[in-house]
Amino acid sequence: TPVAILLSGRGSNATALIRAAQDPAFPARICLVLSNRPQAPGLDVARAAGLPTLAIDHRPYGKDRAAHERAMHAALEEAGAQAVCLAGYMRLLTPFLTQAWAGRMLNIHPSLLPSFPGLHTHERALEAGVRVHGCTVHLVTEGMDEGPILGQAAVPVLAGDTAETLAARVLRQEHQLYPQALLHFLTNHPPCASSADALLVA
Ligand code: GRF
């Protein structure tokens, strides 16, 4: 299945997905790595792996989120993507993109949802005093970090943890979880060719 990755930064989760997809037995082929930041290190990782990359900078679009998303959507279609993995894509999506990719857009979030949606999850987990933290792969819907959960991995919160040590422990799990969740998703719920088809089979 052709799968596109959307990112804005470092790209360590993208790297995990790219590595997994290098195995011919893995059901995803990465057809595009797309960023809203031209300087995102994640694009370099993808180029080094010989994958098609594209940056569509959001800044020239100013406040016109919809126009930026239309350009992103056109690039995804052009690449033949049948599913999209958000991997550190740091812009909020409008209903245009979430609806266009409903049921075939995945996200990874660094907390055990529904706890701690949004930013600064590790700081907030420490403040809340939780003893177990982790990460979640979920389908993207209109509400931020709200869609159906596809997979989760838990880590302990240890005495003396800082946001950095906790983030690092969670991140190692993210790199395991995301490829597993994508494999499971593609194997059990192969995405439909379009959202219109998705409505037909629902
Ligand atoms: C990860 O913590 C991910 O869960 C969150 O953004 C971060 C992206 O990191 N959505 P990377 O770019 O994949 O290294």
Side-chain angles (χ1 to χ4, degrees):
T1 307
V3 173
I5 298 175
L6 251 62
L7 54 76
S8 302
R10 175 175 62 179
S12 70
N13 279 290
T15 303
L17 292 170
I18 288 167
R19 288 217 183 108
Q22 279 164 349
D23 179 347
F26 194 82
R29 178 176 61 78
I30 307 304
C31 62
L32 180 65
V33 178
L34 178 56
S35 175
N36 65 309
R37 294 197 177 274
Q39 307 305 329
L43 288 175
D44 298 328
V45 174
R47 277 186 212 107
L51 295 172
T53 63
L54 187 64
I56 303 180
D57 196 337
H58 61 277
R59 286 169 300 189
Y61 293 90
K63 288 201 163 81
D64 196 350
R65 264 173 205 278
H68 179 250
E69 287 193 354
R70 281 196 298 274
M72 300 279 284
H73 181 64
L76 293 170
E77 298 261 272
E78 171 86 21
Q82 289 190 24
V84 175
C85 288
L86 306 184
Y89 184 71
M90 298 308 287
R91 285 183 66 78
L92 289 175
L93 299 178
T94 77
F96 166 71
L97 214 56
T98 57
Q99 279 166 21
W101 292 89
R104 47 197 193 128
M105 182 180 268
L106 286 65
N107 180 45
I108 186 155
H109 181 77
S111 78
L112 291 173
L113 290 172
S115 291
F116 314 120
L119 296 173
H120 309 301
T121 56
H122 309 303
E123 286 86 344
R124 288 157 59 208
L126 289 175
E127 274 164 27
V130 296
R131 293 290 131 216
V132 180
H133 186 42
C135 49
T136 302
V137 173
H138 64 95
L139 284 174
V140 174
T141 55
E142 249 177 74
M144 187 184 54
D145 302 326
E146 271 185 13
I149 290 170
L150 299 176
Q152 291 185 308
V155 302
V157 179
L158 301 178
D161 260 341
T162 62
E164 288 71 33
T165 58
L166 185 54
R169 192 174 308 123
V170 171
L171 192 62
R172 281 194 295 277
Q173 292 303 315
E174 292 184 38
H175 299 161
Q176 305 285 319
L177 176 67
Y178 211 170
Q180 279 174 23
L182 177 61
L183 168 68
H184 192 266
F185 172 73
L186 291 175
T187 309
N188 294 292
H189 314 273
C192 302
S194 72
S195 48
D197 287 358
L199 287 177
L200 288 175
V201 299

